[in-house]
Amino acid sequence: MNKEVNGGDVPRDFKLKSYKFLETFLADYGMVWIGEKSDPNSDVYNDEELSDGSSEELWRPESSLAGDDDPPPSPSIDYDKILENIKDLNVLAGDGISRIQHTTDGARLKMPDPVDLALYANGIMMYSGPFRPFSDPPTQHLLKDILDGYFPSELQTRYPSGIPFVVKDFRHTHFEIKKPLKAFKGVGQTLGGGIQPSRLVASTLNKTTQKSDTHENPEHPISVSVTNKRPGKTLTKDQFLNKLPQSVVKGGKIVDIRNTLNEHLSDKTKSEKPVVTVVETETVNELKKRLELEESVRPSTPRNITTLRIKSETGNQTYILKMKFNETVGDLRKYLNLQRSPAESDFNIVSAYPNKTHTDDSKTLEASGLVPNAVLHLRQKKGSFS
């Protein structure tokens, strides 16, 4: 007969039942009973026999931890249990139930966006990546939470009320991790033929000789050079112009394509730099006199002044004029004739955007749309188009 509990020894079968009860109770909360201390002041737990002739195997953390050099064991994943628990977690997270979302103008009901979870034979992938192998400790911790019936702890900060999962079952498929691509070891080209070495990979190109100093395969050396010439046959100016139509009709007007481009290309081949001339108009003289006054008595700058930038027929001469809004196209033509020879007095004043020829000399600059500034060019008058 066992002794009664009266301040003396505790019966052995009562102690055994107590251990079993504590183990069951703690297991419900994810905890493990590891024993009791025979001496309250000791750091060592008592491993006494709990049954006749046998000893209860207890978990010893120091003996269960893998060494630094030991490879992590490949876990055995219970996919069916994971899928079953995720269904239960989705119900608790309100799968299919709209939630209140606060907006700047009030609130609205919105279905929460689920989290994509793909299960592979060698790991998992949440959202759109990256791939997480089973050997990764955070991945093991996430799966353990799900297998224990808990919402993953790593997502609790982002989703404190939980979030449904959309699971893709690829348990029989191994996710292939692609090898990183090799970095490009050459050099790039910029517009104009300039060399722009890579900022990430050291370049082997000699900037002086424009050739590579090293070769990947010494038996079959490859010479690397940089050029600003495009591949293929180069057309002459005349060959290029002959491929274009002589003239086209645009907006009810005949536009001479070949001659206009020929003049433009001819100007580009000239070595002389374009000359910029600031024309001395009455408005310019008034502005100079205004600057000569002291700042305290200087009047404010007039608002009715336009700046005109005009290119000559060949494009090698640019005229800059400052005139008032109420001055006319004829006044503009007069200023230009003072800067040009009498043989160059027969010209049209043309604006490109919109394409318009200003022939009415009595029209003001404001009425002609040449304010507060404009870009014009001169074109030689022609009797007719052929």
Short mmCIF file of all heavy atoms in Angstrom, two decimals, residues 316-381:
data_model
loop_
_atom_site.label_atom_id
_atom_site.label_comp_id
_atom_site.label_asym_id
_atom_site.label_seq_id
_atom_site.Cartn_x
_atom_site.Cartn_y
_atom_site.Cartn_z
N ASN A 316 24.75 80.61 -91.55
CA ASN A 316 26.03 81.00 -90.95
C ASN A 316 25.97 82.37 -90.29
O ASN A 316 26.98 82.86 -89.80
CB ASN A 316 27.14 80.97 -92.00
CG ASN A 316 26.85 81.91 -93.15
OD1 ASN A 316 25.76 82.48 -93.24
ND2 ASN A 316 27.81 82.08 -94.05
N GLN A 317 24.81 82.98 -90.26
CA GLN A 317 24.65 84.30 -89.64
C GLN A 317 23.36 84.29 -88.84
O GLN A 317 22.31 83.84 -89.32
CB GLN A 317 24.60 85.40 -90.70
CG GLN A 317 24.42 86.80 -90.15
CD GLN A 317 25.70 87.32 -89.50
OE1 GLN A 317 26.79 87.13 -90.04
NE2 GLN A 317 25.58 87.94 -88.35
N THR A 318 23.43 84.76 -87.60
CA THR A 318 22.26 84.85 -86.72
C THR A 318 22.12 86.29 -86.24
O THR A 318 23.09 86.90 -85.78
CB THR A 318 22.39 83.91 -85.52
OG1 THR A 318 22.54 82.56 -85.98
CG2 THR A 318 21.17 83.99 -84.63
N TYR A 319 20.92 86.83 -86.35
CA TYR A 319 20.63 88.20 -85.92
C TYR A 319 19.71 88.13 -84.70
O TYR A 319 18.72 87.38 -84.70
CB TYR A 319 19.94 89.00 -87.03
CG TYR A 319 20.69 89.00 -88.34
CD1 TYR A 319 20.32 88.14 -89.37
CD2 TYR A 319 21.76 89.86 -88.56
CE1 TYR A 319 20.99 88.13 -90.58
CE2 TYR A 319 22.46 89.86 -89.76
CZ TYR A 319 22.06 88.98 -90.76
OH TYR A 319 22.74 88.98 -91.96
N ILE A 320 20.04 88.93 -83.70
CA ILE A 320 19.22 89.03 -82.50
C ILE A 320 18.71 90.45 -82.40
O ILE A 320 19.50 91.41 -82.37
CB ILE A 320 20.01 88.63 -81.23
CG1 ILE A 320 20.44 87.16 -81.32
CG2 ILE A 320 19.17 88.85 -79.99
CD1 ILE A 320 21.25 86.68 -80.14
N LEU A 321 17.39 90.60 -82.33
CA LEU A 321 16.77 91.92 -82.29
C LEU A 321 15.81 91.98 -81.11
O LEU A 321 15.09 91.01 -80.82
CB LEU A 321 15.98 92.21 -83.58
CG LEU A 321 16.76 92.27 -84.89
CD1 LEU A 321 16.86 90.90 -85.53
CD2 LEU A 321 16.11 93.27 -85.85
N LYS A 322 15.80 93.14 -80.45
CA LYS A 322 14.83 93.44 -79.41
C LYS A 322 13.97 94.59 -79.92
O LYS A 322 14.46 95.68 -80.21
CB LYS A 322 15.51 93.81 -78.09
CG LYS A 322 16.12 92.61 -77.38
CD LYS A 322 16.64 92.99 -76.01
CE LYS A 322 17.16 91.79 -75.26
NZ LYS A 322 16.10 90.82 -74.93
N MET A 323 12.66 94.32 -80.02
CA MET A 323 11.73 95.31 -80.56
C MET A 323 10.47 95.33 -79.70
O MET A 323 10.21 94.41 -78.91
CB MET A 323 11.38 94.96 -82.01
CG MET A 323 12.58 94.88 -82.94
SD MET A 323 12.16 94.38 -84.62
CE MET A 323 11.11 95.73 -85.13
N LYS A 324 9.68 96.40 -79.88
CA LYS A 324 8.44 96.55 -79.12
C LYS A 324 7.31 95.83 -79.84
O LYS A 324 7.35 95.62 -81.05
CB LYS A 324 8.11 98.02 -78.93
CG LYS A 324 9.11 98.74 -78.03
CD LYS A 324 8.73 100.19 -77.82
CE LYS A 324 9.73 100.90 -76.91
NZ LYS A 324 9.39 102.33 -76.71
N PHE A 325 6.28 95.49 -79.07
CA PHE A 325 5.17 94.74 -79.62
C PHE A 325 4.47 95.47 -80.77
O PHE A 325 4.00 94.86 -81.73
CB PHE A 325 4.13 94.45 -78.53
CG PHE A 325 4.57 93.40 -77.54
CD1 PHE A 325 5.84 92.82 -77.61
CD2 PHE A 325 3.72 92.98 -76.51
CE1 PHE A 325 6.24 91.87 -76.70
CE2 PHE A 325 4.12 92.03 -75.59
CZ PHE A 325 5.38 91.47 -75.68
N ASN A 326 4.42 96.83 -80.66
CA ASN A 326 3.66 97.58 -81.65
C ASN A 326 4.46 97.92 -82.90
O ASN A 326 3.94 98.54 -83.82
CB ASN A 326 3.09 98.86 -81.03
CG ASN A 326 4.20 99.74 -80.44
OD1 ASN A 326 5.38 99.41 -80.52
ND2 ASN A 326 3.80 100.86 -79.85
N GLU A 327 5.74 97.52 -82.96
CA GLU A 327 6.50 97.72 -84.19
C GLU A 327 6.05 96.68 -85.22
O GLU A 327 5.50 95.63 -84.89
CB GLU A 327 8.00 97.61 -83.91
CG GLU A 327 8.53 98.75 -83.03
CD GLU A 327 10.03 98.72 -82.90
OE1 GLU A 327 10.71 99.20 -83.83
OE2 GLU A 327 10.52 98.20 -81.87
N THR A 328 6.31 96.99 -86.49
CA THR A 328 5.75 96.19 -87.58
C THR A 328 6.79 95.26 -88.19
O THR A 328 7.99 95.36 -87.89
CB THR A 328 5.20 97.11 -88.67
OG1 THR A 328 6.29 97.86 -89.24
CG2 THR A 328 4.16 98.07 -88.11
N VAL A 329 6.29 94.36 -89.06
CA VAL A 329 7.17 93.47 -89.81
C VAL A 329 8.06 94.28 -90.74
O VAL A 329 9.23 93.94 -90.98
CB VAL A 329 6.33 92.44 -90.59
CG1 VAL A 329 7.23 91.57 -91.48
CG2 VAL A 329 5.52 91.57 -89.64
N GLY A 330 7.52 95.41 -91.24
CA GLY A 330 8.33 96.29 -92.08
C GLY A 330 9.50 96.89 -91.32
O GLY A 330 10.61 97.04 -91.87
N ASP A 331 9.29 97.24 -90.04
CA ASP A 331 10.40 97.74 -89.22
C ASP A 331 11.46 96.66 -89.05
O ASP A 331 12.67 96.95 -89.08
CB ASP A 331 9.88 98.19 -87.86
CG ASP A 331 8.92 99.37 -87.96
OD1 ASP A 331 9.09 100.17 -88.91
OD2 ASP A 331 8.02 99.48 -87.12
N LEU A 332 11.02 95.42 -88.86
CA LEU A 332 11.97 94.31 -88.73
C LEU A 332 12.77 94.14 -90.01
O LEU A 332 14.00 93.97 -89.97
CB LEU A 332 11.20 93.02 -88.40
CG LEU A 332 12.00 91.72 -88.42
CD1 LEU A 332 13.14 91.76 -87.42
CD2 LEU A 332 11.09 90.53 -88.16
N ARG A 333 12.10 94.22 -91.16
CA ARG A 333 12.79 94.07 -92.44
C ARG A 333 13.80 95.21 -92.63
O ARG A 333 14.89 95.01 -93.17
CB ARG A 333 11.76 94.07 -93.58
CG ARG A 333 12.33 93.67 -94.93
CD ARG A 333 11.22 93.72 -95.97
NE ARG A 333 10.13 92.79 -95.65
CZ ARG A 333 10.15 91.51 -95.98
NH1 ARG A 333 11.19 91.00 -96.63
NH2 ARG A 333 9.13 90.73 -95.67
N LYS A 334 13.45 96.43 -92.18
CA LYS A 334 14.35 97.58 -92.31
C LYS A 334 15.63 97.35 -91.50
O LYS A 334 16.74 97.61 -91.98
CB LYS A 334 13.64 98.85 -91.81
CG LYS A 334 14.48 100.11 -91.88
CD LYS A 334 13.75 101.28 -91.24
CE LYS A 334 13.56 101.04 -89.75
NZ LYS A 334 12.95 102.23 -89.08
N TYR A 335 15.49 96.84 -90.28
CA TYR A 335 16.68 96.58 -89.45
C TYR A 335 17.56 95.50 -90.09
O TYR A 335 18.81 95.61 -90.06
CB TYR A 335 16.27 96.13 -88.05
CG TYR A 335 15.76 97.25 -87.17
CD1 TYR A 335 14.51 97.18 -86.57
CD2 TYR A 335 16.54 98.38 -86.93
CE1 TYR A 335 14.04 98.20 -85.76
CE2 TYR A 335 16.08 99.41 -86.11
CZ TYR A 335 14.83 99.32 -85.52
OH TYR A 335 14.38 100.33 -84.73
N LEU A 336 16.96 94.50 -90.67
CA LEU A 336 17.74 93.44 -91.31
C LEU A 336 18.47 93.95 -92.55
O LEU A 336 19.63 93.56 -92.80
CB LEU A 336 16.83 92.26 -91.67
CG LEU A 336 16.26 91.47 -90.49
CD1 LEU A 336 15.26 90.42 -91.00
CD2 LEU A 336 17.36 90.78 -89.70
N ASN A 337 17.83 94.81 -93.33
CA ASN A 337 18.48 95.35 -94.53
C ASN A 337 19.70 96.20 -94.18
O ASN A 337 20.66 96.27 -94.95
CB ASN A 337 17.48 96.17 -95.34
CG ASN A 337 16.49 95.28 -96.09
OD1 ASN A 337 16.82 94.16 -96.45
ND2 ASN A 337 15.29 95.78 -96.31
N LEU A 338 19.69 96.83 -92.99
CA LEU A 338 20.84 97.63 -92.58
C LEU A 338 22.05 96.75 -92.27
O LEU A 338 23.19 97.22 -92.31
CB LEU A 338 20.49 98.47 -91.35
CG LEU A 338 19.45 99.58 -91.57
CD1 LEU A 338 19.11 100.26 -90.25
CD2 LEU A 338 19.98 100.61 -92.58
N GLN A 339 21.81 95.47 -91.97
CA GLN A 339 22.89 94.55 -91.64
C GLN A 339 23.37 93.75 -92.84
O GLN A 339 24.39 93.07 -92.75
CB GLN A 339 22.42 93.58 -90.54
CG GLN A 339 21.93 94.24 -89.28
CD GLN A 339 23.01 95.01 -88.56
OE1 GLN A 339 24.17 94.59 -88.51
NE2 GLN A 339 22.65 96.16 -88.01
N ARG A 340 22.67 93.84 -93.98
CA ARG A 340 22.96 92.99 -95.12
C ARG A 340 23.25 93.85 -96.35
O ARG A 340 22.96 95.06 -96.39
CB ARG A 340 21.75 92.07 -95.40
CG ARG A 340 21.50 91.10 -94.27
CD ARG A 340 20.05 90.58 -94.27
NE ARG A 340 19.71 89.91 -95.50
CZ ARG A 340 19.90 88.62 -95.74
NH1 ARG A 340 20.46 87.84 -94.82
NH2 ARG A 340 19.55 88.09 -96.90
N SER A 341 23.83 93.22 -97.35
CA SER A 341 24.17 93.93 -98.58
C SER A 341 22.90 94.15 -99.41
O SER A 341 21.90 93.43 -99.24
CB SER A 341 25.19 93.13 -99.38
OG SER A 341 24.64 91.89 -99.78
N PRO A 342 22.90 95.13 -100.34
CA PRO A 342 21.71 95.36 -101.17
C PRO A 342 21.31 94.13 -101.99
O PRO A 342 20.13 93.94 -102.29
CB PRO A 342 22.14 96.52 -102.07
CG PRO A 342 23.20 97.23 -101.29
CD PRO A 342 23.94 96.16 -100.54
N ALA A 343 22.28 93.30 -102.35
CA ALA A 343 21.95 92.11 -103.15
C ALA A 343 21.17 91.08 -102.34
O ALA A 343 20.56 90.17 -102.92
CB ALA A 343 23.22 91.48 -103.70
N GLU A 344 21.20 91.21 -101.02
CA GLU A 344 20.51 90.24 -100.16
C GLU A 344 19.20 90.77 -99.60
O GLU A 344 18.65 90.24 -98.65
CB GLU A 344 21.42 89.85 -98.98
CG GLU A 344 22.72 89.19 -99.39
CD GLU A 344 23.63 88.95 -98.19
OE1 GLU A 344 23.66 89.80 -97.28
OE2 GLU A 344 24.31 87.91 -98.18
N SER A 345 18.69 91.85 -100.20
CA SER A 345 17.49 92.50 -99.66
C SER A 345 16.20 91.80 -100.05
O SER A 345 15.15 92.07 -99.47
CB SER A 345 17.45 93.95 -100.13
OG SER A 345 17.41 94.00 -101.56
N ASP A 346 16.26 90.92 -101.04
CA ASP A 346 15.04 90.24 -101.51
C ASP A 346 14.93 88.90 -100.77
O ASP A 346 15.49 87.90 -101.17
CB ASP A 346 15.11 90.03 -103.02
CG ASP A 346 13.75 89.67 -103.60
OD1 ASP A 346 12.75 89.81 -102.85
OD2 ASP A 346 13.68 89.25 -104.75
N PHE A 347 14.18 88.89 -99.66
CA PHE A 347 14.06 87.68 -98.83
C PHE A 347 12.68 87.64 -98.19
O PHE A 347 11.98 88.66 -98.09
CB PHE A 347 15.15 87.65 -97.75
CG PHE A 347 15.13 88.83 -96.83
CD1 PHE A 347 14.31 88.85 -95.70
CD2 PHE A 347 15.93 89.95 -97.08
CE1 PHE A 347 14.30 89.94 -94.84
CE2 PHE A 347 15.91 91.04 -96.23
CZ PHE A 347 15.10 91.03 -95.11
N ASN A 348 12.32 86.46 -97.75
CA ASN A 348 11.10 86.24 -96.97
C ASN A 348 11.47 85.95 -95.52
O ASN A 348 12.49 85.33 -95.24
CB ASN A 348 10.28 85.07 -97.52
CG ASN A 348 9.59 85.42 -98.82
OD1 ASN A 348 9.18 86.57 -99.04
ND2 ASN A 348 9.45 84.44 -99.71
N ILE A 349 10.62 86.42 -94.62
CA ILE A 349 10.79 86.14 -93.19
C ILE A 349 9.82 85.03 -92.82
O ILE A 349 8.60 85.17 -92.97
CB ILE A 349 10.52 87.40 -92.34
CG1 ILE A 349 11.45 88.54 -92.76
CG2 ILE A 349 10.69 87.09 -90.86
CD1 ILE A 349 11.16 89.85 -92.09
N VAL A 350 10.38 83.89 -92.36
CA VAL A 350 9.58 82.69 -92.15
C VAL A 350 9.74 82.23 -90.71
O VAL A 350 10.86 82.23 -90.16
CB VAL A 350 10.02 81.56 -93.12
CG1 VAL A 350 9.16 80.33 -92.92
CG2 VAL A 350 9.94 82.04 -94.55
N SER A 351 8.63 81.84 -90.11
CA SER A 351 8.67 81.21 -88.78
C SER A 351 8.39 79.72 -88.96
O SER A 351 7.55 79.32 -89.77
CB SER A 351 7.63 81.84 -87.84
OG SER A 351 6.33 81.74 -88.39
N ALA A 352 9.10 78.89 -88.19
CA ALA A 352 9.01 77.44 -88.37
C ALA A 352 7.80 76.86 -87.65
O ALA A 352 7.13 75.97 -88.17
CB ALA A 352 10.29 76.77 -87.89
N TYR A 353 7.53 77.29 -86.44
CA TYR A 353 6.44 76.73 -85.64
C TYR A 353 5.54 77.85 -85.15
O TYR A 353 5.90 78.58 -84.22
CB TYR A 353 7.00 75.94 -84.45
CG TYR A 353 7.92 74.82 -84.85
CD1 TYR A 353 9.29 74.97 -84.75
CD2 TYR A 353 7.40 73.63 -85.34
CE1 TYR A 353 10.14 73.94 -85.12
CE2 TYR A 353 8.24 72.60 -85.72
CZ TYR A 353 9.60 72.76 -85.60
OH TYR A 353 10.43 71.74 -85.98
N PRO A 354 4.37 78.07 -85.80
CA PRO A 354 3.90 77.34 -86.98
C PRO A 354 4.59 77.84 -88.25
O PRO A 354 5.14 78.94 -88.27
CB PRO A 354 2.40 77.67 -87.01
CG PRO A 354 2.33 79.01 -86.38
CD PRO A 354 3.38 79.05 -85.32
N ASN A 355 4.58 77.00 -89.29
CA ASN A 355 5.24 77.36 -90.54
C ASN A 355 4.44 78.47 -91.22
O ASN A 355 3.33 78.24 -91.70
CB ASN A 355 5.34 76.12 -91.43
CG ASN A 355 6.23 76.37 -92.63
OD1 ASN A 355 6.75 77.47 -92.80
ND2 ASN A 355 6.38 75.35 -93.47
N LYS A 356 5.02 79.67 -91.23
CA LYS A 356 4.28 80.83 -91.74
C LYS A 356 5.27 81.81 -92.33
O LYS A 356 6.34 82.06 -91.77
CB LYS A 356 3.47 81.48 -90.62
CG LYS A 356 2.65 82.68 -91.04
CD LYS A 356 1.88 83.23 -89.85
CE LYS A 356 1.06 84.45 -90.25
NZ LYS A 356 0.33 85.02 -89.09
N THR A 357 4.92 82.40 -93.49
CA THR A 357 5.73 83.44 -94.13
C THR A 357 5.08 84.79 -93.86
O THR A 357 3.88 84.98 -94.15
CB THR A 357 5.83 83.20 -95.64
OG1 THR A 357 6.38 81.90 -95.86
CG2 THR A 357 6.72 84.24 -96.29
N HIS A 358 5.84 85.70 -93.28
CA HIS A 358 5.32 87.02 -92.89
C HIS A 358 5.58 88.00 -94.04
O HIS A 358 6.69 88.52 -94.21
CB HIS A 358 6.00 87.49 -91.60
CG HIS A 358 5.82 86.52 -90.46
ND1 HIS A 358 4.71 86.50 -89.66
CD2 HIS A 358 6.63 85.53 -90.01
CE1 HIS A 358 4.83 85.54 -88.76
NE2 HIS A 358 6.01 84.94 -88.95
N THR A 359 4.55 88.25 -94.83
CA THR A 359 4.66 89.12 -96.02
C THR A 359 4.00 90.47 -95.82
O THR A 359 4.27 91.40 -96.59
CB THR A 359 4.03 88.41 -97.22
OG1 THR A 359 2.67 88.09 -96.92
CG2 THR A 359 4.78 87.13 -97.55
N ASP A 360 3.14 90.61 -94.83
CA ASP A 360 2.45 91.89 -94.60
C ASP A 360 3.32 92.77 -93.73
O ASP A 360 3.40 92.60 -92.51
CB ASP A 360 1.10 91.62 -93.93
CG ASP A 360 0.23 92.87 -93.86
OD1 ASP A 360 0.72 93.96 -94.26
OD2 ASP A 360 -0.92 92.76 -93.42
N ASP A 361 4.00 93.76 -94.37
CA ASP A 361 4.93 94.62 -93.63
C ASP A 361 4.22 95.58 -92.69
O ASP A 361 4.84 96.14 -91.78
CB ASP A 361 5.79 95.42 -94.62
CG ASP A 361 6.80 94.53 -95.34
OD1 ASP A 361 6.95 93.37 -94.92
OD2 ASP A 361 7.43 95.00 -96.30
N SER A 362 2.91 95.81 -92.89
CA SER A 362 2.18 96.75 -92.03
C SER A 362 1.65 96.07 -90.75
O SER A 362 1.16 96.75 -89.86
CB SER A 362 1.01 97.36 -92.81
OG SER A 362 0.09 96.34 -93.20
N LYS A 363 1.76 94.79 -90.67
CA LYS A 363 1.23 94.06 -89.53
C LYS A 363 2.20 94.16 -88.35
O LYS A 363 3.42 94.06 -88.52
CB LYS A 363 1.02 92.59 -89.91
CG LYS A 363 0.01 91.85 -89.06
CD LYS A 363 -0.27 90.48 -89.67
CE LYS A 363 -1.36 89.77 -88.91
NZ LYS A 363 -1.67 88.43 -89.49
N THR A 364 1.68 94.37 -87.15
CA THR A 364 2.54 94.49 -85.98
C THR A 364 3.10 93.13 -85.59
O THR A 364 2.58 92.07 -85.97
CB THR A 364 1.77 95.07 -84.79
OG1 THR A 364 0.72 94.18 -84.42
CG2 THR A 364 1.17 96.44 -85.16
N LEU A 365 4.18 93.18 -84.80
CA LEU A 365 4.79 91.93 -84.34
C LEU A 365 3.84 91.15 -83.43
O LEU A 365 3.80 89.92 -83.46
CB LEU A 365 6.10 92.23 -83.60
CG LEU A 365 7.18 92.94 -84.41
CD1 LEU A 365 8.41 93.21 -83.54
CD2 LEU A 365 7.57 92.13 -85.63
N GLU A 366 3.05 91.88 -82.63
CA GLU A 366 2.10 91.21 -81.74
C GLU A 366 1.01 90.53 -82.55
O GLU A 366 0.63 89.39 -82.26
CB GLU A 366 1.50 92.23 -80.78
CG GLU A 366 0.59 91.61 -79.73
CD GLU A 366 0.09 92.62 -78.72
OE1 GLU A 366 0.30 93.83 -78.94
OE2 GLU A 366 -0.49 92.21 -77.69
N ALA A 367 0.50 91.20 -83.57
CA ALA A 367 -0.54 90.59 -84.41
C ALA A 367 0.01 89.43 -85.22
O ALA A 367 -0.75 88.53 -85.60
CB ALA A 367 -1.13 91.66 -85.33
N SER A 368 1.30 89.42 -85.49
CA SER A 368 1.91 88.32 -86.25
C SER A 368 2.28 87.13 -85.38
O SER A 368 2.79 86.14 -85.88
CB SER A 368 3.16 88.83 -86.99
OG SER A 368 2.83 89.89 -87.87
N GLY A 369 2.07 87.23 -84.06
CA GLY A 369 2.39 86.13 -83.16
C GLY A 369 3.86 86.00 -82.85
O GLY A 369 4.33 84.90 -82.53
N LEU A 370 4.61 87.11 -82.94
CA LEU A 370 6.06 87.08 -82.72
C LEU A 370 6.43 87.64 -81.35
O LEU A 370 7.49 88.23 -81.18
CB LEU A 370 6.78 87.84 -83.84
CG LEU A 370 6.50 87.34 -85.26
CD1 LEU A 370 7.25 88.19 -86.28
CD2 LEU A 370 6.87 85.87 -85.40
N VAL A 371 5.56 87.49 -80.37
CA VAL A 371 5.80 87.96 -79.01
C VAL A 371 5.50 86.82 -78.04
O VAL A 371 4.69 85.93 -78.36
CB VAL A 371 4.91 89.19 -78.70
CG1 VAL A 371 5.28 90.36 -79.58
CG2 VAL A 371 3.43 88.86 -78.84
N PRO A 372 6.13 86.78 -76.87
CA PRO A 372 7.19 87.68 -76.35
C PRO A 372 8.57 87.34 -76.91
O PRO A 372 9.54 88.02 -76.62
CB PRO A 372 7.13 87.44 -74.85
CG PRO A 372 6.69 86.02 -74.73
CD PRO A 372 5.75 85.77 -75.87
N ASN A 373 8.69 86.24 -77.69
CA ASN A 373 9.94 85.89 -78.36
C ASN A 373 9.60 84.97 -79.52
O ASN A 373 8.52 84.36 -79.55
CB ASN A 373 10.96 85.25 -77.41
CG ASN A 373 10.39 84.07 -76.67
OD1 ASN A 373 10.11 83.04 -77.27
ND2 ASN A 373 10.18 84.21 -75.36
N ALA A 374 10.54 84.85 -80.46
CA ALA A 374 10.30 84.01 -81.62
C ALA A 374 11.62 83.67 -82.28
O ALA A 374 12.61 84.42 -82.16
CB ALA A 374 9.37 84.71 -82.63
N VAL A 375 11.65 82.52 -82.98
CA VAL A 375 12.79 82.08 -83.76
C VAL A 375 12.37 82.08 -85.23
O VAL A 375 11.39 81.42 -85.59
CB VAL A 375 13.28 80.69 -83.34
CG1 VAL A 375 14.43 80.22 -84.22
CG2 VAL A 375 13.71 80.70 -81.87
N LEU A 376 13.09 82.83 -86.06
CA LEU A 376 12.74 82.97 -87.47
C LEU A 376 13.94 82.61 -88.33
O LEU A 376 15.07 82.50 -87.83
CB LEU A 376 12.31 84.41 -87.77
CG LEU A 376 11.18 84.98 -86.89
CD1 LEU A 376 11.07 86.49 -87.10
CD2 LEU A 376 9.87 84.30 -87.20
N HIS A 377 13.72 82.45 -89.63
CA HIS A 377 14.83 82.29 -90.57
C HIS A 377 14.44 82.95 -91.88
O HIS A 377 13.26 83.10 -92.20
CB HIS A 377 15.18 80.81 -90.78
CG HIS A 377 14.10 79.99 -91.40
ND1 HIS A 377 13.11 79.37 -90.66
CD2 HIS A 377 13.84 79.70 -92.70
CE1 HIS A 377 12.31 78.72 -91.46
NE2 HIS A 377 12.71 78.89 -92.71
N LEU A 378 15.48 83.36 -92.60
CA LEU A 378 15.28 84.06 -93.86
C LEU A 378 15.36 83.06 -95.00
O LEU A 378 16.17 82.12 -94.96
CB LEU A 378 16.35 85.15 -94.03
CG LEU A 378 16.43 86.17 -92.89
CD1 LEU A 378 17.52 87.20 -93.20
CD2 LEU A 378 15.09 86.85 -92.64
N ARG A 379 14.53 83.29 -96.02
CA ARG A 379 14.53 82.41 -97.19
C ARG A 379 14.51 83.29 -98.44
O ARG A 379 13.73 84.25 -98.52
CB ARG A 379 13.32 81.50 -97.16
CG ARG A 379 13.26 80.52 -98.32
CD ARG A 379 12.03 79.65 -98.24
NE ARG A 379 12.08 78.80 -97.03
CZ ARG A 379 11.07 78.06 -96.60
NH1 ARG A 379 9.91 78.08 -97.27
NH2 ARG A 379 11.18 77.33 -95.52
N GLN A 380 15.38 82.96 -99.37
CA GLN A 380 15.45 83.72 -100.60
C GLN A 380 14.17 83.56 -101.42
O GLN A 380 13.64 82.47 -101.54
CB GLN A 380 16.66 83.27 -101.43
CG GLN A 380 16.92 84.11 -102.65
CD GLN A 380 18.15 83.65 -103.40
OE1 GLN A 380 18.78 82.67 -103.02
NE2 GLN A 380 18.52 84.36 -104.46
N LYS A 381 13.66 84.67 -101.95
CA LYS A 381 12.42 84.63 -102.74
C LYS A 381 12.67 83.91 -104.06
O LYS A 381 13.71 84.06 -104.68
CB LYS A 381 11.92 86.04 -103.00
CG LYS A 381 11.33 86.75 -101.79
CD LYS A 381 10.76 88.08 -102.15
CE LYS A 381 10.12 88.78 -100.95
NZ LYS A 381 9.56 90.09 -101.30
#
